[in-house]
Amino acid sequence: MKLPLSRLCPILLSTVLCVTFVGCNVVRFTLNTPITQNDVAFIVPGQTTLADVITKLGTPDSITDSYTGVVATYRFLDMKYSRVNFGWLLKFWSPVDADLLISRTGLGTDALELLCDSNWVVTHHSFLRRLSGHSFNPYPF
Amino acid sequence: MLLFKPLAGIIIVLALIMTQGCAFSRGTLGEDIRSESVDAIKKATTTKAEVLSLLGAPDRLLQVNGRDVFQYYRYDAKVGSLLLILINFSRVSIKSDDLFVIIDREGIVEDVILSKRTDGLKFRFWPFGE
C-alpha cells in the first residue's frame, strides 16, 4: 500500500519530533521577579528617596556602603537548561542503558542598582544586564 | 461540533498516555519573619537589644551610612515538574523575604524595612514565557 504524501508528512514530522525530543528535559530557574524599565520610571534622580523606591518595589536584596552614600541592589537570576538524551532510543533494543547526552545551560543575571547619597536620596540608578537569551538551546557546540 | 468531540477525546487520551507524573518540591532557608515581631519594633523608641530579643541575631550585619543595619532574610523555593514520556518540564521559582532594621549611632531603631515576596510565590512547571 502506498501512502499519499499528505498522510506521510504528519507521520514523518511526528517521527522526527519524537526522535528529536527523546529524553528531553527543559528546566527554568528564576530568582525574584524581574524589574523592568517601566517599573523604575518613577525614580527621579536627586528627588526620589530610597524609602519611595522600597514602597513601590519592596526591599532590596542588599544594601552596601560606598564613599558617597549607600548602594541598594535588587537582584534577579534566570537560568535556562535544556538536555536531550539520544541514547533513550536504545532502551527498546538494548539491555544496556546507554546515554548520549547533549545539554546547555544559559545563566542570566540581572540587577537594579541604586546609588543613594547620605540622606538616602537616589542619585543614580541603572540595570546590570546579563541575560540568558530567549530560547532553550541544548546544542553545546 | 461533531468533529470537535472526538478530537478533544483523542487529545485527552494522548495526554493521559504521555503523562508519566508530576512532582512538587519545596525548599526554605531561614525562619519565617513574623509580622507581630516586626510590628513590635517602633521607630525612635526600640533599642538594639530589644530588636535582638525580638528577632534574634541578624543573618547579616552591615555598616551603612554611619549606621548599623540588621538584615534578616528567608528564602522560599517551589519546584514544579511535569514528567512526560518523551519530555520533562520543570520550573524552579525562588523568592525572598527581607527585613532591614536600621539602627542609629545611639543604638535606637531609625527605620524598619520589610517586604514579603514569598507570599505570591506559586508552583509553576511551564518553563517558557515570563
Side-chain angles (χ1 to χ4, degrees):
Chain A
M1 195 179 85
K2 199 174 176 182
L3 282 171
L5 193 64
S6 58
R7 286 189 65 189
L8 196 65
C9 274
I11 295 168
L12 271 175
L13 188 66
S14 317
T15 311
V16 168
L17 280 174
C18 284
V19 169
T20 308
F21 292 120
V22 158
C24 271
N25 283 286
V26 182
V27 181
R28 177 100 174 258
F29 181 104
T30 50
L31 172 67
N32 293 331
T33 308
I35 293 175
T36 62
Q37 288 284 358
N38 288 338
D39 297 326
V40 298
F42 71 94
I43 298 174
V44 180
Q47 289 183 19
T48 310
T49 63
L50 185 60
D52 297 332
V53 178
I54 287 165
T55 307
K56 294 215 173 183
L57 303 179
T59 56
D61 294 280
S62 70
I63 298 176
T64 49
D65 212 3
S66 78
Y67 283 114
T68 53
V70 176
V71 179
T73 310
Y74 292 83
R75 286 197 182 83
F76 322 99
L77 189 88
D78 188 14
M79 192 188 89
K80 290 171 181 172
Y81 168 80
S82 51
R83 188 191 80 150
V84 180
N85 183 6
F86 292 100
W88 193 90
L89 256 186
L90 292 174
K91 275 185 177 180
F92 302 108
W93 297 284
S94 167
V96 182
D97 198 0
D99 286 329
L100 175 57
L101 292 166
I102 57 167
S103 72
R104 189 165 180 173
T105 304
L107 182 65
T109 54
D110 195 3
L112 169 66
E113 292 185 348
L114 304 167
L115 183 61
C116 308
D117 63 16
S118 55
N119 298 314
W120 306 95
V121 176
V122 179
T123 54
H124 298 87
H125 71 279
S126 67
F127 283 96
L128 166 83
R129 294 279 187 205
R130 284 183 191 148
L131 303 178
S132 59
H134 296 290
S135 60
F136 290 88
N137 178 13
Y139 192 68
F141 306 106
Chain B
M1 194 65 189
L2 278 173
L3 188 71
F4 176 75
K5 279 185 179 175
L7 187 67
I10 290 167
I11 290 170
I12 290 166
V13 169
L14 272 176
L16 287 172
I17 291 169
M18 298 284 280
T19 306
Q20 241 183 338
C22 294
F24 297 94
S25 306
R26 187 165 180 186
T28 54
L29 171 68
E31 287 182 19
D32 195 15
I33 300 170
R34 287 176 295 141
S35 298
E36 56 268 25
S37 300
V38 179
D39 292 341
I41 301 170
K42 304 293 177 198
K43 289 181 195 175
T45 310
T46 309
T47 63
K48 187 192 285 188
E50 288 169 334
V51 172
L52 291 170
S53 68
L54 280 166
L55 298 167
D59 296 299
R60 204 176 283 157
L61 179 56
L62 310 161
Q63 286 185 324
V64 174
N65 209 9
R67 297 153 174 93
D68 281 339
V69 178
F70 288 0
Q71 184 182 3
Y72 298 87
Y73 54 78
R74 174 180 182 267
Y75 283 87
D76 196 353
K78 289 183 179 175
V79 187
S81 299
L82 181 64
L83 309 169
L84 308 176
I85 289 172
L86 296 178
I87 187 164
N88 299 334
F89 296 110
S90 293
R91 182 135 190 194
V92 184
S93 306
I94 302 179
K95 288 192 177 183
S96 63
D97 296 332
D98 291 278
L99 170 67
F100 291 95
V101 183
I102 301 170
I103 295 165
D104 65 15
R105 288 168 200 267
E106 282 74 44
I108 307 295
V109 173
E110 187 179 305
D111 208 348
V112 181
I113 305 164
L114 170 69
S115 82
K116 289 205 158 196
R117 294 174 180 154
T118 60
D119 288 344
L121 189 63
K122 292 174 184 170
F123 281 101
R124 296 181 289 180
F125 65 84
W126 189 242
F128 307 102
E130 278 299 307

